[in-house]
């Protein structure tokens, strides 16, 4: 078995525990992002929120902020050390709006080399190593800059075994992302397609699952996009068809207002899934074993790097 690479070092898969597969802990968005609610810059607030998450039974999360959106590996390391939460950080880039200035003048191999270095050696001079690879597409399209990132992600994946976890804009281009990565030799079982609950269509989810890829149901608690009751209906339907082990849950709570720790107590916070959503899912008929698979066993399987 391969190890899981956290910001504090490698751990055994059995040590991971209950895991959210797509969250944001610290972000320093570029100047083009004028909505200050999207800037999550307080280490103190993050430490409080992740402490609450730990008390609720959460043990790990994948922090999906890439370089072009203000990744802060040293802050992540400090927060992990203070809270006991395993944090897995990402290498890679976001959608065209953010990644183009970073990748347009570089080759696929150059991008892949940077991803590989960040996984195996460390991010810049921090000594913190990434444990997953991120790639993203725009609404209804994969731009040339984005395609370059996907191909680089595939090459870094082949060298490390790291999971490729994606951003889809409103759930679009999931099948196209899978086809692109498959053209580079990536097995769908090593892909996690993000934000599919932005496209709450059972036939679409089923088509993604049939490829073997994993589905990110990662907008939980964001009722402005979709009622959680509908998310539960879709999860139950997918589980009934045998796809529970391909479902990964998270909240993608990338606004300060989503976190009680920032002071207004208005958002769902990191405890919402554990204290409210999962009990509701269980009451509606998902058994404890299936929940354990989605929250613990599947993350432990997906986050392993190549055994060394």
């Amino acid at each position: 078995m391969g190890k899981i690479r956290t910001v504090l070092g490698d751990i055994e898969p059995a040590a991971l525990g209950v895991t959210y597969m797509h969250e944001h802990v610290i972000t320093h968005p570029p100047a083009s992002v004028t909505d200050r609610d999207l800037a999550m810059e307080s280490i103190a607030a993050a430490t409080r929120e992740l402490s609450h998450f730990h008390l609720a039974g959460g043990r790990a999360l994948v922090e999906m902020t890439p370089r072009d959106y203000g990744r802060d590996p040293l802050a992540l390391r400090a927060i992990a050390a203070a809270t006991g939460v395993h944090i897995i950080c990402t290498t890679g880039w976001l959608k065209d709006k953010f990644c183009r200035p970073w990748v347009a003048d570089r080759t696929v191999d150059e991008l892949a080399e940077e991803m590989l270095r960040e996984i195996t050696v460390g991010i810049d001079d921090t000594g913190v190593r990434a444990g997953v690879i991120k790639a993203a597409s725009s609404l209804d399209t994969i731009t040339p800059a984005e395609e370059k990132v996907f191909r680089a992600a595939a090459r870094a994946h082949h060298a490390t075994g790291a999971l490729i976890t994606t951003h889809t804009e409103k759930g679009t281009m999931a099948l196209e992302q899978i086809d692109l990565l498959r053209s580079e030799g990536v097995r769908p079982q090593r892909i996690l397609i993000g934000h599919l609950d932005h496209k709450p269509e059972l036939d679409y989810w089923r088509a993604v699952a049939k490829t073997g890829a994993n589905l990110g149901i990662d907008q939980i608690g964001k009722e402005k996009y979709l009622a959680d009751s509908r998310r539960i209906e879709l999860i139950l339907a997918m589980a009934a068809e045998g796809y529970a082990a391909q479902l990964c849950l998270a909240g993608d709570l990338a606004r300060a207002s989503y976190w009680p720790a920032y002071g207004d107590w208005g958002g769902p916070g990191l405890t919402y899934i554990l204290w409210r959503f999962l009990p509701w899912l269980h009451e509606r008929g998902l058994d404890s074993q299936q929940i354990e698979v989605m929250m613990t066993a599947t993350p432990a399987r997906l986050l392993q790097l190549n055994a060394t």
Side-chain angles (χ1 to χ4, degrees):
M1 295 179 69
K3 299 291 182 70
I4 294 172
R5 187 145 294 163
T6 83
V7 297
L8 292 178
D10 291 356
I11 63 171
E12 297 292 338
L16 187 68
V18 171
T19 304
Y20 292 0
M21 289 293 285
H22 192 122
E23 295 295 341
H24 296 272
V25 174
I26 294 286
T27 64
H28 306 286
S32 59
V33 177
T34 58
D35 185 349
R36 293 306 300 165
D37 193 34
L38 290 166
M40 302 173 68
E41 299 178 324
S42 171
I43 292 176
T47 300
R48 286 194 298 273
E49 192 70 31
L50 268 69
S51 295
H52 300 158
F53 171 68
H54 193 274
L55 285 170
R59 292 295 177 266
L61 56 79
V62 180
E63 213 285 356
M64 289 296 293
T65 306
R67 183 185 293 278
D68 52 351
Y69 201 71
R71 181 184 57 189
D72 193 337
L74 290 178
L76 297 179
R77 185 165 66 186
I79 294 160
T83 62
V85 174
H86 301 301
I87 298 176
I88 297 93
C89 98
T90 189
T91 186
W93 286 270
L94 241 178
K95 61 188 176 182
D96 190 280
K97 175 182 177 181
F98 299 105
C99 78
R100 193 188 311 174
W102 295 85
V103 309
D105 296 329
R106 301 172 68 189
T107 68
V108 171
D109 284 341
E110 287 171 342
L111 299 178
E113 287 170 8
E114 179 173 329
M115 293 175 177
L116 178 59
R117 184 173 61 254
E118 292 191 340
I119 295 168
T120 59
V121 178
I123 297 166
D124 301 326
D125 60 354
T126 65
V128 176
R129 296 187 292 176
V132 296
I133 302 167
K134 183 168 189 173
S137 56
S138 297
L139 183 66
D140 294 322
T141 190
I142 299 175
T143 72
E146 293 163 350
E147 179 179 345
K148 192 182 292 187
V149 173
F150 272 95
R151 295 195 184 281
R155 295 175 196 187
H157 160 78
H158 288 309
T160 63
L163 177 72
I164 299 174
T165 178
T166 80
H167 166 95
T168 64
E169 194 74 3
K170 297 186 178 179
T172 66
M173 306 305 291
L175 295 170
E176 291 83 357
Q177 289 183 357
I178 295 166
D179 286 344
L180 176 53
L181 290 169
R182 290 178 83 168
S183 76
E184 289 280 341
V186 179
R187 294 188 302 119
Q189 290 80 3
R190 300 300 296 156
I191 304 167
L192 172 57
I193 302 294
H195 314 329
L196 284 174
D197 40 347
H198 275 304
K199 197 172 176 68
E201 302 167 9
L202 183 57
D203 285 345
Y204 189 65
W205 288 23
R206 186 185 292 119
V208 173
K210 284 182 176 179
T211 70
N214 304 280
L215 287 71
I217 317 306
D218 54 28
Q219 304 294 298
I220 296 168
K222 297 181 181 179
E223 295 266 336
K224 66 182 181 180
Y225 298 130
L226 182 71
D228 276 342
S229 58
R230 178 59 179 154
R231 288 187 179 89
I232 285 174
E233 290 173 356
L234 288 163
I235 291 169
L236 291 172
M238 292 293 287
E241 294 185 21
Y243 295 119
Q246 291 169 247
L247 306 182
C248 296
L249 307 189
D252 188 21
L253 301 181
R255 289 179 174 271
S257 60
Y258 287 144
W259 278 16
Y262 272 95
D264 67 8
W265 298 96
L270 291 177
T271 63
Y272 174 83
I273 292 173
L274 295 171
W275 280 349
R276 295 180 63 186
F277 188 81
L278 293 182
W280 187 4
L281 196 54
H282 184 61
E283 287 178 4
R284 289 289 306 275
L286 202 66
D287 65 46
S288 298
Q289 183 177 4
Q290 289 172 307
I291 291 173
E292 190 277 336
V293 166
M294 290 191 300
M295 302 306 300
T296 302
T298 294
R301 170 173 53 83
L302 293 181
L303 292 171
Q304 292 179 48
L305 301 180
N306 286 339
T308 56

